[in-house]
Amino acid sequence: MARSIAATSAGSNRNRGVLMLAAVFGILSAMLMFAFLNSRGGSGSSSVNSALDAAAGADSVVVVARNIQVGDKITSDMLTMKSLPSAALLPGHAVKAEDLIGKVATAPMFTGEQVVDAKVTTFVGQNTLAYKVPDGMRAVSLQVPNEGWITGGLPQPGDRVDFLAIVSLTRTDPLTGQEKPDVVSGVIAQNVEVLAMSQKLVKTVPKVDSAVPSGASTPAAVATDAKPLDDAATYEKAISVTLALPPDLAAKVSLVDAMKKDVGQWRLLVRQKGDTSELTGATQWTYDDLFSTTKKK
């Protein structure tokens, strides 16, 4: 029995010795591989990554080195090159950084993002109102008699509002011939973009290059990112507000604006950021609705 125990112990010691020897050889192999890769002119990790990228069919593309805002002119320090798998490449991606230098960003771009054709333009100085009007819309300016009409002058160019009209007319009773007040309040335009407060325009940069991205009907369709000129600005002393409206609604809004103050007034109802929903329920009210009550059963 003692001889059997001794044999087992000796076998266990031999196994441990083999494992330790294998571990030493493994460490030596890793060190030799690291030294070999360094001798090839790069770090071990970058060489391994390059080999993996090549196996995955990677391409070198231009990416953003630091955040870029709308209207920024692109400089060399904003860009860098990165190797990405072919399957991860976006349509219209740029492959040469030098082709982008001097162009202008039409949309925000963030660190690590691929630079695509739809977000840059050769735009130079088209800062007039005509470049800010969305497709199918018209710019119409309204005179502001009171800061309360424009929500205290707090809306920024680029905000979305509803246009509320308050019209006080008179109607004649066909039976008695007596004139009665006919006061109506109603929302006549919804989800309207504020293009300007006084002469402060919404900050957008249109895509004016001849090459239009797939799916865009015109170059102007690319300019969809609006940003206030000054996040801290208020316009309580603004004497005008410019809205983007379809032609028919522009005519209706102008009719209200042309009325005398004691006959027709209007208010801008500012929407929450991102709210594009249509109003549900009633959009027109009279004095009868003001004090309406539900009858008790």
Side-chain angles (χ1 to χ4, degrees):
M1 178 65 68
R3 188 177 303 157
S4 176
I5 293 174
T8 301
S9 177
S12 178
N13 288 335
R14 282 196 300 271
N15 290 338
R16 282 198 294 271
V18 171
L19 291 174
M20 291 180 64
L21 188 61
V24 170
F25 278 121
I27 294 172
L28 288 174
S29 298
M31 293 175 65
L32 289 172
M33 178 61 72
F34 182 77
F36 171 74
L37 292 174
N38 277 338
S39 69
R40 303 273 300 198
S43 67
S45 60
S46 63
S47 298
V48 171
N49 287 338
S50 297
L52 292 175
D53 288 341
D59 291 310
S60 184
V61 297
V62 183
V63 298
V64 179
R66 60 182 177 86
N67 291 353
I68 300 174
Q69 300 301 322
V70 176
D72 286 350
K73 182 175 287 189
I74 296 176
T75 56
S76 58
D77 62 309
M78 296 178 177
L79 308 173
T80 188
M81 302 300 296
K82 185 175 182 180
S83 185
L84 294 175
S86 299
L89 301 181
L90 299 176
H93 63 274
V95 295
K96 293 182 180 179
E98 57 267 26
D99 293 343
L100 301 170
I101 306 303
K103 290 190 175 183
V104 176
T106 63
M109 290 182 279
F110 304 97
T111 303
E113 178 182 343
Q114 297 177 49
V115 181
V116 296
D117 178 71
K119 290 191 175 183
V120 294
T121 181
T122 52
F123 166 89
V124 280
Q126 287 93 340
N127 291 317
T128 64
L129 179 61
Y131 285 92
K132 316 300 179 183
V133 181
D135 288 348
M137 298 291 183
R138 301 293 186 271
V140 57
S141 292
L142 311 175
Q143 187 175 1
V144 180
N146 187 290
E147 69 177 49
W149 292 29
I150 53 173
T151 326
L154 297 175
Q156 296 277 325
D159 283 347
R160 314 290 294 199
V161 299
D162 294 333
F163 184 90
L164 176 70
I166 308 99
V167 179
S168 179
L169 302 174
T170 57
R171 60 181 175 180
T172 302
D173 189 317
L175 298 178
T176 63
Q178 182 181 2
E179 290 187 345
K180 295 182 178 180
D182 185 14
V183 182
V184 179
S185 173
V187 175
I188 61 177
Q190 301 183 35
N191 194 25
V192 178
E193 182 180 5
V194 178
L195 293 179
M197 294 293 290
S198 284
Q199 294 184 341
K200 297 294 186 181
L201 286 170
V202 60
K203 184 178 181 181
T204 58
V205 178
K207 175 75 172 177
V208 296
D209 294 355
S210 57
V212 180
S214 176
S217 57
T218 64
V222 182
T224 56
D225 293 278
K227 179 185 177 183
L229 291 180
D230 184 351
D231 293 337
T234 59
Y235 302 95
E236 65 273 10
K237 295 181 180 180
I239 61 172
S240 67
V241 56
T242 303
L243 306 176
L245 290 164
D248 59 332
L249 292 183
K252 293 180 180 180
V253 165
S254 297
L255 282 174
V256 178
D257 185 54
M259 294 177 179
K260 293 182 179 180
K261 189 177 178 180
D262 59 346
V263 176
Q265 298 186 18
W266 51 267
R267 302 289 188 275
L268 297 185
L269 311 180
V270 181
R271 286 183 167 235
Q272 184 184 47
K273 189 70 173 179
D275 180 9
T276 59
S277 61
E278 290 289 323
L279 298 179
T280 58
T283 57
Q284 181 174 308
W285 302 268
T286 66
Y287 272 149
D288 293 335
D289 299 309
L290 185 60
F291 299 108
S292 61
T293 56
T294 303
K295 295 181 179 180
K296 295 183 179 179
K297 294 182 179 180

